Coordinates of all heavy atoms in Angstrom, one line a residue:
M1 N -24.4 2.0 -0.1 CA -25.0 1.2 -1.1 C -26.3 0.7 -0.7 O -26.6 0.3 0.4 CB -24.0 -0.1 -1.2 CG -24.5 -1.1 -2.2 SD -23.4 -2.5 -2.4 CE -22.3 -1.9 -3.5
P2 N -27.3 0.7 -1.7 CA -28.6 0.4 -1.3 C -28.7 -1.2 -1.0 O -27.9 -2.0 -1.4 CB -29.4 0.5 -2.6 CG -28.6 1.5 -3.4 CD -27.2 1.3 -3.0
A3 N -29.6 -1.5 -0.1 CA -29.7 -2.9 0.4 C -30.0 -3.9 -0.7 O -29.4 -5.0 -0.7 CB -30.8 -3.0 1.5
R4 N -30.8 -3.5 -1.7 CA -31.1 -4.5 -2.8 C -29.8 -4.7 -3.6 O -29.6 -5.9 -4.0 CB -32.2 -3.9 -3.7 CG -33.5 -3.9 -2.9 CD -34.6 -3.2 -3.8 NE -35.0 -4.2 -4.8 CZ -35.8 -4.0 -5.7 NH1 -36.4 -2.7 -5.9 NH2 -36.2 -4.9 -6.6
A5 N -29.1 -3.7 -3.8 CA -27.8 -3.9 -4.6 C -26.8 -4.7 -3.8 O -26.1 -5.5 -4.4 CB -27.2 -2.5 -5.0
R6 N -26.7 -4.4 -2.5 CA -25.8 -5.2 -1.6 C -26.2 -6.7 -1.7 O -25.3 -7.6 -1.8 CB -25.8 -4.8 -0.2 CG -24.9 -5.4 0.7 CD -25.0 -5.0 2.1 NE -25.6 -3.6 2.2 CZ -25.0 -2.6 2.8 NH1 -23.8 -2.7 3.3 NH2 -25.6 -1.4 2.9
H7 N -27.4 -7.0 -1.6 CA -28.0 -8.4 -1.6 C -27.6 -9.0 -3.1 O -27.2 -10.2 -3.1 CB -29.4 -8.5 -1.4 CG -30.0 -9.8 -1.4 ND1 -29.6 -10.8 -0.4 CD2 -30.9 -10.4 -2.2 CE1 -30.3 -11.9 -0.7 NE2 -31.0 -11.8 -1.7
L8 N -27.8 -8.3 -4.1 CA -27.5 -8.7 -5.4 C -26.0 -9.0 -5.5 O -25.6 -10.1 -6.0 CB -27.9 -7.7 -6.4 CG -27.5 -8.0 -7.9 CD1 -28.3 -9.2 -8.4 CD2 -27.9 -6.8 -8.8
L9 N -25.2 -8.2 -5.0 CA -23.7 -8.4 -5.1 C -23.3 -9.6 -4.3 O -22.5 -10.3 -4.8 CB -23.0 -7.1 -4.6 CG -21.5 -7.1 -4.7 CD1 -21.0 -7.2 -6.2 CD2 -20.9 -5.8 -4.1
E10 N -23.8 -9.7 -3.1 CA -23.6 -10.9 -2.3 C -23.9 -12.2 -3.0 O -23.3 -13.2 -3.0 CB -24.2 -10.8 -0.9 CG -23.6 -9.8 0.0 CD -24.5 -9.6 1.2 OE1 -25.6 -10.2 1.3 OE2 -24.0 -8.8 2.1
S11 N -25.1 -12.2 -3.7 CA -25.5 -13.4 -4.4 C -24.6 -13.7 -5.6 O -24.4 -14.8 -6.0 CB -27.0 -13.2 -5.0 OG -27.9 -13.0 -3.9
C12 N -24.0 -12.6 -6.2 CA -23.2 -12.8 -7.4 C -21.8 -13.4 -6.9 O -21.1 -14.1 -7.6 CB -22.9 -11.5 -8.1 SG -24.3 -11.0 -9.0
L13 N -21.4 -13.1 -5.7 CA -20.1 -13.4 -5.2 C -20.2 -14.7 -4.3 O -19.1 -15.0 -3.6 CB -19.4 -12.2 -4.5 CG -19.2 -11.0 -5.2 CD1 -18.6 -9.9 -4.4 CD2 -18.2 -11.2 -6.4
E14 N -21.2 -15.3 -4.3 CA -21.4 -16.6 -3.4 C -20.4 -17.6 -3.9 O -20.2 -17.8 -5.1 CB -22.9 -17.1 -3.7 CG -23.1 -18.3 -2.8 CD -23.2 -18.0 -1.4 OE1 -23.7 -17.0 -0.9 OE2 -22.6 -18.8 -0.6
K15 N -19.8 -18.2 -3.0 CA -18.7 -19.3 -3.3 C -19.3 -20.5 -3.8 O -18.8 -21.2 -4.7 CB -17.9 -19.6 -1.9 CG -16.9 -18.6 -1.6 CD -16.1 -19.1 -0.5 CE -15.0 -18.0 -0.2 NZ -14.1 -18.6 0.8
D16 N -20.5 -20.9 -3.3 CA -21.1 -22.2 -3.7 C -21.8 -21.9 -5.0 O -22.7 -21.2 -5.2 CB -22.2 -22.6 -2.7 CG -22.8 -24.0 -3.0 OD1 -22.3 -24.6 -3.9 OD2 -23.7 -24.4 -2.3
P17 N -21.3 -22.7 -6.2 CA -21.9 -22.5 -7.5 C -23.4 -22.7 -7.6 O -24.1 -22.2 -8.4 CB -21.1 -23.4 -8.4 CG -20.0 -23.9 -7.6 CD -20.3 -23.7 -6.1
R18 N -23.9 -23.6 -6.7 CA -25.3 -23.9 -6.7 C -26.1 -22.7 -6.2 O -27.3 -22.5 -6.6 CB -25.6 -25.1 -5.9 CG -25.1 -26.4 -6.6 CD -25.2 -27.6 -5.7 NE -24.4 -27.4 -4.6 CZ -24.4 -28.1 -3.6 NH1 -25.2 -29.1 -3.4 NH2 -23.5 -27.9 -2.6
K19 N -25.6 -21.9 -5.3 CA -26.3 -20.7 -4.8 C -26.0 -19.5 -5.6 O -26.8 -18.5 -5.4 CB -25.9 -20.5 -3.3 CG -26.3 -21.6 -2.4 CD -25.8 -21.3 -1.0 CE -26.1 -22.4 0.0 NZ -25.6 -22.2 1.3
R20 N -25.0 -19.4 -6.3 CA -24.6 -18.2 -7.1 C -25.5 -18.0 -8.2 O -26.0 -18.9 -8.9 CB -23.1 -18.4 -7.5 CG -22.5 -17.2 -8.1 CD -21.1 -17.4 -8.4 NE -20.7 -18.7 -8.9 CZ -19.6 -19.4 -8.5 NH1 -18.8 -18.9 -7.7 NH2 -19.4 -20.6 -9.0
L21 N -25.7 -16.7 -8.6 CA -26.5 -16.3 -9.8 C -25.7 -16.7 -11.0 O -24.5 -16.5 -11.1 CB -26.7 -14.8 -9.7 CG -27.6 -14.4 -8.6 CD1 -27.7 -12.8 -8.7 CD2 -29.0 -15.0 -8.6
R22 N -26.4 -17.2 -12.0 CA -25.8 -17.7 -13.3 C -25.9 -16.7 -14.4 O -24.9 -16.5 -15.1 CB -26.4 -19.0 -13.7 CG -26.1 -20.2 -12.7 CD -26.6 -21.4 -13.3 NE -28.1 -21.3 -13.5 CZ -28.7 -22.0 -14.5 NH1 -28.0 -22.9 -15.2 NH2 -29.9 -21.9 -14.7
D23 N -27.0 -16.0 -14.5 CA -27.1 -15.1 -15.7 C -28.1 -14.0 -15.2 O -28.6 -13.9 -14.2 CB -27.6 -15.8 -16.9 CG -28.9 -16.6 -16.7 OD1 -29.6 -16.3 -15.7 OD2 -29.1 -17.6 -17.4
I24 N -28.4 -13.1 -16.2 CA -29.2 -11.9 -15.9 C -30.7 -12.3 -15.6 O -31.4 -11.6 -14.9 CB -29.2 -11.0 -17.1 CG1 -29.7 -9.5 -16.7 CG2 -30.0 -11.5 -18.4 CD1 -28.9 -8.9 -15.8
G25 N -31.1 -13.4 -16.1 CA -32.6 -13.9 -15.8 C -32.7 -14.1 -14.3 O -33.7 -13.8 -13.7
D26 N -31.7 -14.6 -13.6 CA -31.6 -14.9 -12.1 C -31.6 -13.5 -11.4 O -32.3 -13.4 -10.4 CB -30.4 -15.7 -11.7 CG -30.5 -17.1 -12.3 OD1 -31.6 -17.6 -12.6 OD2 -29.5 -17.8 -12.3
V27 N -30.9 -12.6 -12.0 CA -30.9 -11.2 -11.3 C -32.3 -10.6 -11.3 O -32.7 -10.1 -10.3 CB -29.9 -10.3 -12.1 CG1 -30.0 -8.9 -11.6 CG2 -28.5 -10.9 -12.0
W28 N -33.0 -10.7 -12.5 CA -34.3 -10.1 -12.5 C -35.3 -10.8 -11.6 O -36.1 -10.2 -10.9 CB -34.9 -10.2 -14.0 CG -34.3 -9.2 -14.9 CD1 -33.5 -9.4 -15.9 CD2 -34.3 -7.7 -14.7 NE1 -33.0 -8.3 -16.5 CE2 -33.5 -7.2 -15.7 CE3 -34.9 -6.9 -13.8 CZ2 -33.3 -5.9 -15.9 CZ3 -34.7 -5.6 -14.0 CH2 -33.9 -5.1 -15.0
K29 N -35.1 -12.1 -11.4 CA -36.0 -12.8 -10.4 C -35.7 -12.3 -9.0 O -36.6 -12.2 -8.2 CB -35.7 -14.3 -10.5 CG -36.2 -15.0 -11.7 CD -35.9 -16.5 -11.7 CE -36.2 -17.2 -13.0 NZ -35.7 -18.5 -13.0
L30 N -34.4 -12.1 -8.8 CA -34.0 -11.7 -7.4 C -34.5 -10.2 -7.2 O -35.0 -9.9 -6.1 CB -32.5 -11.7 -7.3 CG -31.9 -11.3 -5.9 CD1 -32.3 -12.3 -4.9 CD2 -30.4 -11.2 -6.0
L31 N -34.5 -9.3 -8.1 CA -35.0 -8.0 -8.0 C -36.5 -7.9 -7.9 O -37.0 -7.0 -7.3 CB -34.4 -7.1 -9.1 CG -32.9 -6.8 -9.1 CD1 -32.5 -6.0 -10.3 CD2 -32.5 -6.1 -7.8
D32 N -37.1 -8.8 -8.6 CA -38.6 -8.7 -8.6 C -39.2 -9.3 -7.3 O -40.4 -9.1 -7.1 CB -39.1 -9.5 -9.8 CG -38.9 -8.8 -11.1 OD1 -38.7 -7.5 -11.0 OD2 -38.9 -9.4 -12.2
T33 N -38.5 -10.0 -6.5 CA -39.1 -10.6 -5.3 C -39.4 -9.5 -4.3 O -40.4 -9.7 -3.5 CB -38.1 -11.5 -4.6 OG1 -36.9 -10.8 -4.3 CG2 -37.8 -12.7 -5.5
G34 N -38.9 -8.4 -4.4 CA -39.3 -7.2 -3.6 C -38.8 -7.5 -2.1 O -39.4 -6.9 -1.2
R35 N -37.9 -8.4 -1.9 CA -37.5 -8.7 -0.6 C -36.8 -7.4 0.0 O -35.8 -6.9 -0.6 CB -36.6 -9.8 -0.6 CG -36.0 -10.3 0.7 CD -35.1 -11.4 0.7 NE -34.0 -11.1 1.6 CZ -32.8 -11.6 1.6 NH1 -32.6 -12.4 0.6 NH2 -32.0 -11.3 2.5
Q36 N -37.3 -7.0 1.1 CA -36.6 -5.8 1.8 C -35.9 -6.3 3.1 O -36.6 -6.7 4.0 CB -37.7 -4.8 2.1 CG -38.3 -4.1 0.9 CD -37.3 -3.2 0.2 OE1 -36.3 -2.9 0.7 NE2 -37.7 -2.9 -1.1
P37 N -34.7 -6.2 3.1 CA -33.9 -6.6 4.3 C -34.2 -5.6 5.4 O -34.6 -4.5 5.1 CB -32.5 -6.7 3.9 CG -32.3 -5.8 2.7 CD -33.7 -5.9 2.0
A38 N -33.9 -6.0 6.6 CA -34.1 -5.1 7.8 C -33.2 -4.0 7.6 O -32.0 -4.1 7.2 CB -33.8 -5.9 9.0
A39 N -33.7 -2.8 8.0 CA -32.9 -1.6 8.0 C -31.8 -1.7 9.1 O -32.0 -2.2 10.1 CB -33.8 -0.4 8.3
P40 N -30.6 -1.1 8.7 CA -29.5 -1.1 9.8 C -30.0 -0.2 11.0 O -30.7 0.7 10.8 CB -28.4 -0.5 9.0 CG -29.0 0.3 7.9 CD -30.2 -0.4 7.6
P41 N -29.5 -0.6 12.1 CA -29.9 0.2 13.4 C -29.4 1.6 13.2 O -28.3 1.9 12.7 CB -29.1 -0.6 14.5 CG -28.0 -1.3 13.8 CD -28.5 -1.6 12.4
P42 N -30.1 2.6 13.7 CA -29.8 3.9 13.6 C -28.5 4.2 14.4 O -28.4 3.6 15.5 CB -30.9 4.7 14.1 CG -31.7 3.8 15.0 CD -31.4 2.4 14.4
R43 N -27.6 5.1 14.0 CA -26.5 5.4 14.7 C -26.7 6.5 15.6 O -27.5 7.4 15.4 CB -25.3 5.8 13.8 CG -24.9 4.7 12.8 CD -23.7 5.2 12.0 NE -23.3 4.1 11.2 CZ -22.4 4.2 10.3 NH1 -21.7 5.3 10.2 NH2 -22.0 3.1 9.6
S44 N -26.1 6.4 16.8 CA -26.4 7.4 17.8 C -25.6 8.7 17.4 O -24.4 8.7 17.0 CB -25.9 6.9 19.2 OG -25.9 7.9 20.0
V45 N -26.2 9.9 17.6 CA -25.6 11.1 17.3 C -24.5 11.4 18.3 O -23.4 12.0 18.0 CB -26.7 12.3 17.3 CG1 -25.9 13.6 17.2 CG2 -27.7 12.0 16.3
A46 N -24.7 11.0 19.5 CA -23.7 11.2 20.5 C -22.4 10.4 20.3 O -21.4 11.0 20.6 CB -24.2 10.7 22.0
A47 N -22.5 9.3 19.6 CA -21.3 8.5 19.4 C -20.4 9.3 18.4 O -19.2 9.2 18.4 CB -21.6 7.2 18.9
G48 N -21.0 9.9 17.5 CA -20.3 10.8 16.5 C -19.6 11.9 17.2 O -18.4 12.2 16.8
W49 N -20.2 12.6 18.1 CA -19.6 13.7 18.8 C -18.5 13.2 19.7 O -17.5 13.9 19.8 CB -20.7 14.5 19.6 CG -21.5 15.4 18.7 CD1 -22.8 15.2 18.4 CD2 -21.1 16.5 18.1 NE1 -23.3 16.2 17.5 CE2 -22.2 17.0 17.3 CE3 -19.8 17.2 18.0 CZ2 -22.1 18.2 16.5 CZ3 -19.8 18.4 17.2 CH2 -20.9 18.8 16.5
I50 N -18.7 12.1 20.3 CA -17.6 11.6 21.1 C -16.4 11.2 20.3 O -15.3 11.5 20.7 CB -18.1 10.3 21.9 CG1 -19.2 10.7 23.0 CG2 -17.0 9.6 22.5 CD1 -19.9 9.5 23.6
A51 N -16.6 10.6 19.2 CA -15.5 10.2 18.3 C -14.8 11.5 17.8 O -13.6 11.6 17.7 CB -16.0 9.4 17.0
A52 N -15.5 12.5 17.4 CA -15.0 13.9 16.9 C -14.2 14.5 18.1 O -13.1 15.0 17.9 CB -16.0 14.7 16.5
G53 N -14.7 14.4 19.3 CA -14.0 15.0 20.5 C -12.6 14.3 20.7 O -11.6 14.9 21.0
A54 N -12.7 12.9 20.6 CA -11.5 12.2 20.9 C -10.4 12.5 19.8 O -9.3 12.6 20.1 CB -11.8 10.7 20.9
L55 N -10.9 12.6 18.6 CA -10.0 12.8 17.5 C -9.4 14.2 17.7 O -8.2 14.4 17.4 CB -10.7 12.8 16.1 CG -9.9 13.0 14.9 CD1 -8.8 12.0 14.8 CD2 -10.8 13.0 13.7
G56 N -10.2 15.2 18.1 CA -9.7 16.6 18.3 C -8.6 16.6 19.5 O -7.6 17.3 19.3
I57 N -8.9 15.8 20.6 CA -7.8 15.8 21.6 C -6.5 15.1 21.1 O -5.4 15.6 21.4 CB -8.4 15.0 22.8 CG1 -9.5 15.8 23.5 CG2 -7.4 14.6 23.8 CD1 -10.3 15.0 24.5
V58 N -6.6 14.0 20.3 CA -5.5 13.4 19.8 C -4.7 14.4 18.9 O -3.5 14.4 18.9 CB -5.8 12.1 19.1 CG1 -4.7 11.6 18.3 CG2 -6.3 11.0 20.1
A59 N -5.4 15.1 18.0 CA -4.8 16.0 17.1 C -4.1 17.2 17.9 O -3.0 17.6 17.5 CB -5.8 16.6 16.1
A60 N -4.7 17.7 18.9 CA -4.2 18.8 19.7 C -2.8 18.2 20.4 O -1.8 19.0 20.4 CB -5.2 19.2 20.8
V61 N -2.9 17.1 21.0 CA -1.6 16.5 21.7 C -0.5 16.3 20.6 O 0.6 16.6 20.8 CB -2.0 15.2 22.3 CG1 -0.7 14.5 22.8 CG2 -2.9 15.5 23.6
A62 N -0.9 15.8 19.4 CA 0.1 15.5 18.4 C 0.7 16.8 17.8 O 1.9 16.9 17.5 CB -0.6 14.8 17.2
L63 N 0.0 17.9 17.8 CA 0.4 19.1 17.3 C 1.3 19.9 18.4 O 2.1 20.7 18.1 CB -0.7 20.0 16.8 CG -1.3 19.5 15.5 CD1 -2.6 20.4 15.2 CD2 -0.4 19.6 14.4
W64 N 0.9 19.7 19.7 CA 1.5 20.3 20.7 C 2.9 19.7 21.1 O 3.9 20.4 21.4 CB 0.6 20.3 22.0 CG 1.3 20.7 23.2 CD1 1.7 22.0 23.6 CD2 1.7 19.9 24.3 NE1 2.2 22.0 24.9 CE2 2.3 20.6 25.3 CE3 1.6 18.5 24.5 CZ2 2.8 20.1 26.5 CZ3 2.1 18.0 25.7 CH2 2.8 18.8 26.6
A65 N 3.0 18.4 20.9 CA 4.2 17.6 21.3 C 5.5 18.2 20.7 O 6.5 18.3 21.5 CB 4.0 16.2 21.1
P66 N 5.6 18.5 19.5 CA 6.9 18.9 18.9 C 7.3 20.2 19.5 O 8.6 20.5 19.5 CB 6.7 19.0 17.4 CG 5.5 18.2 17.1 CD 4.6 18.2 18.4
W67 N 6.5 21.1 19.9 CA 6.9 22.5 20.4 C 7.0 22.6 21.9 O 7.3 23.7 22.3 CB 5.8 23.5 19.8 CG 6.0 23.7 18.4 CD1 7.0 24.3 17.7 CD2 5.0 23.3 17.4 NE1 6.8 24.3 16.4 CE2 5.6 23.7 16.2 CE3 3.9 22.6 17.4 CZ2 5.0 23.4 15.0 CZ3 3.2 22.4 16.2 CH2 3.8 22.8 15.0
R68 N 6.7 21.5 22.6 CA 6.9 21.7 24.1 C 8.4 21.8 24.4 O 9.2 21.3 23.7 CB 6.3 20.5 24.8 CG 7.0 19.2 24.5 CD 6.2 18.1 25.1 NE 6.9 16.9 24.7 CZ 7.1 15.8 25.4 NH1 6.7 15.8 26.7 NH2 7.6 14.8 25.0
A69 N 8.6 22.5 25.5 CA 10.0 22.8 25.9 C 10.7 21.5 26.4 O 10.2 20.8 27.2 CB 10.1 23.8 26.9
A70 N 11.8 21.3 25.8 CA 12.6 20.1 26.2 C 13.3 20.5 27.6 O 13.7 21.6 27.7 CB 13.6 19.7 25.2
P71 N 13.5 19.6 28.5 CA 14.2 19.9 29.7 C 15.6 20.2 29.5 O 16.3 19.6 28.6 CB 14.1 18.6 30.6 CG 13.7 17.5 29.6 CD 13.0 18.2 28.4
A72 N 16.2 21.2 30.1 CA 17.5 21.7 29.9 C 18.4 20.6 30.4 O 18.3 20.0 31.6 CB 17.7 22.9 30.7
R73 N 19.5 20.3 29.6 CA 20.4 19.3 30.0 C 21.6 19.9 30.8 O 22.0 21.1 30.3 CB 20.9 18.6 28.7 CG 19.9 17.9 27.9 CD 20.4 17.3 26.7 NE 20.6 15.9 26.9 CZ 21.2 15.1 26.1 NH1 21.7 15.6 24.9 NH2 21.4 13.9 26.3
A74 N 22.1 19.3 31.7 CA 23.2 19.8 32.4 C 24.5 19.7 31.5 O 24.6 18.6 30.9 CB 23.5 19.0 33.7
S75 N 25.2 20.7 31.4 CA 26.4 20.6 30.5 C 27.5 19.8 31.2 O 27.8 20.0 32.4 CB 26.9 22.0 30.2 OG 27.3 22.7 31.4
Q76 N 28.0 18.9 30.5 CA 29.0 18.0 31.1 C 30.4 18.4 30.4 O 30.4 18.7 29.2 CB 28.7 16.5 30.8 CG 27.5 16.1 31.5 CD 27.1 14.7 31.3 OE1 27.8 14.0 30.6 NE2 26.1 14.2 31.9
P77 N 31.5 18.3 31.1 CA 32.7 18.6 30.5 C 33.1 17.6 29.4 O 32.7 16.4 29.4 CB 33.7 18.5 31.7 CG 33.0 17.6 32.6 CD 31.6 17.8 32.5
L78 N 33.9 18.1 28.4 CA 34.3 17.3 27.3 C 35.3 16.3 27.8 O 36.2 16.6 28.6 CB 35.0 18.2 26.3 CG 35.5 17.5 25.0 CD1 34.4 16.8 24.3 CD2 36.1 18.5 24.2
V79 N 35.1 15.0 27.4 CA 36.1 14.0 27.8 C 37.0 13.6 26.6 O 36.4 13.4 25.5 CB 35.3 12.7 28.3 CG1 36.2 11.6 28.6 CG2 34.4 13.1 29.4
R80 N 38.2 13.6 26.8 CA 39.2 13.4 25.8 C 39.9 12.0 26.1 O 40.3 11.8 27.2 CB 40.2 14.5 25.7 CG 40.5 14.8 24.4 CD 41.4 16.1 24.4 NE 40.6 17.2 23.8 CZ 41.2 18.2 23.2 NH1 42.5 18.3 23.3 NH2 40.5 19.1 22.6
L81 N 40.1 11.2 25.1 CA 40.8 10.0 25.2 C 42.0 10.0 24.3 O 41.8 10.2 23.1 CB 39.9 8.8 24.8 CG 40.5 7.4 24.9 CD1 40.8 7.0 26.3 CD2 39.5 6.4 24.3
V82 N 43.2 9.8 24.9 CA 44.4 9.8 24.1 C 45.0 8.4 24.2 O 45.2 7.8 25.2 CB 45.4 10.8 24.6 CG1 46.7 10.8 23.8 CG2 44.8 12.2 24.6
V83 N 45.2 7.8 23.0 CA 45.8 6.5 22.9 C 47.1 6.6 22.1 O 47.1 7.1 21.0 CB 44.8 5.5 22.2 CG1 45.4 4.1 22.1 CG2 43.5 5.5 22.9
C84 N 48.2 6.1 22.7 CA 49.5 6.1 22.0 C 49.6 4.6 21.4 O 49.6 3.6 22.1 CB 50.6 6.3 23.0 SG 50.5 8.0 23.5
L85 N 49.8 4.6 20.1 CA 49.9 3.3 19.5 C 51.4 3.0 19.0 O 51.6 2.3 18.0 CB 49.0 3.2 18.2 CG 47.5 3.4 18.4 CD1 46.8 3.5 17.1 CD2 47.0 2.2 19.3
G86 N 52.3 3.5 19.7 CA 53.6 3.2 19.2 C 54.7 3.3 20.2 O 54.8 3.7 21.3

């Protein structure tokens, strides 16, 4: 979203009625001021590659986990319980 539009939206959604924009005339005044807010700081390219690598590792583990071999269970003899109710 452009910075001017973001500033306009924030002014329209202001909680304090005295600070909030009332009509289209106020919008034109705000847009004509030419106020340019500071540009956001540039994002590091390395941070994106780190995030992509971490996501790749998580996806690989998530896809590998269901197919890994389960440890063999020792077979145990069947246990029978007989109860005489009479």
